[in-house]
Amino acid sequence: MFITFEGIEGSGKSTAIKRLKDWLQEKGQGVTLTREPGGSRLGRTLRSILLDIGNNDLTGETELFLYLADRSQHVHQVIRPALDEGVGVISDRYADSTVVYQGYGRGLDPKILHQLNDVAVRGLWPDLTLLFDLEPEIGLKRAMTRNLQDGTCASEGRFEAESLAFHTRVREGYLTWAAINRDRFRIIDAAATPDEVFEQVRAAVADVFSIA
Ligand code: TYD
């Protein structure tokens, strides 16, 4: 069982991921939670480079190859070994983030990005990808409130500091990419209440993995 969560900043993925883990464990399915960037030891260093607002001079290609390097380590050291042991994996972001942020967001070719991803993950694609869909205005507001509550500055991170136009391209890119890959994507209405959002997640997972 390999499930990925995708969506813009502030779409409520992390809350739903924790609830899904608890629910799956109640059903007897062991799961491990992980995320990108930063799911492996090397990845944690790459994450701090990628999200550091001081690194706003990275070229789009540098950014791309750092995300791909993070993903390759993550698959090799964390995801594949867990799946081989029969442990389910839930990842907060995965390869689709690259197609959408570096492709639809930054303007690199999504088809080439998909091929590079396939090399990085050695053909390992999720069974199910849940896209948390939300208007970027709402997502960005939520992300800023969360950062303030965490005690970090309101616009922490290179992506949260991006323009609304960028996040609108990302949101639309996700919807386009989900339509192209409709066999594995399910769209979650992330504007709903946390309980309603979780219910949509639970129903999709129960359906795809035939859990009663
Ligand atoms: P993070 O703080 O983990 O964001 P979130 O809580 O929204 O998941 O930061 C990850 C950022 O990196 C996020 O803005 C999306 C971006 N990203 C890419 O641009 N490409 C990628 O391949 C991945 C995995 C993330």
Side-chain angles (χ1 to χ4, degrees), residues 5-14 35-38 47 50-51 63-64 66-68 70-71 92-103 106 117 143 146-147 156-162 166-167 170 174:
F5 279 62
E6 295 286 349
I8 59 163
E9 280 70 12
S11 56
K13 290 179 280 113
S14 357
R35 70 167 173 186
E36 288 190 0
R47 180 182 173 87
L50 280 161
L51 302 187
E63 182 181 274
L64 166 67
L66 290 175
Y67 278 115
L68 291 172
D70 170 69
R71 182 156 308 125
D92 187 347
R93 299 191 180 281
Y94 190 60
D96 301 308
S97 281
T98 297
V99 172
V100 171
Y101 281 80
Q102 280 63 56
R106 297 263 193 250
N117 265 331
R146 178 193 60 196
N147 289 346
E156 192 214 27
R158 288 194 309 120
F159 286 89
E160 284 163 20
E162 279 286 348
F166 176 84
H167 291 283
V170 167
Y174 265 128

Side-chain angles (χ1 to χ4, degrees), residues 8 33 49 83 85 87 108 116 124-125 131 156 196 205:
I8 59 163
L33 300 188
I49 296 170
L83 295 175
E85 281 178 21
V87 176
L108 301 178
L116 290 171
L124 180 66
W125 291 93
L131 169 56
E156 192 214 27
E196 287 164 350
V205 172

Side-chain angles (χ1 to χ4, degrees), residues 41 46-47 55 69 100-101 109 113 123 159 165 174 183 195 200:
R41 184 192 57 79
L46 295 174
R47 180 182 173 87
N55 285 333
V100 171
Y101 281 80
D109 181 350
L113 297 181
F159 286 89
Y174 265 128
D183 50 325
D195 283 350
Q200 296 175 62

Side-chain angles (χ1 to χ4, degrees), residues 59-80:
T59 67
E61 289 76 9
T62 300
E63 182 181 274
L64 166 67
F65 289 116
L66 290 175
Y67 278 115
L68 291 172
D70 170 69
R71 182 156 308 125
S72 174
Q73 285 298 114
H74 189 207
V75 167
H76 186 68
Q77 293 188 322
V78 178
I79 302 178
R80 186 58 94 182

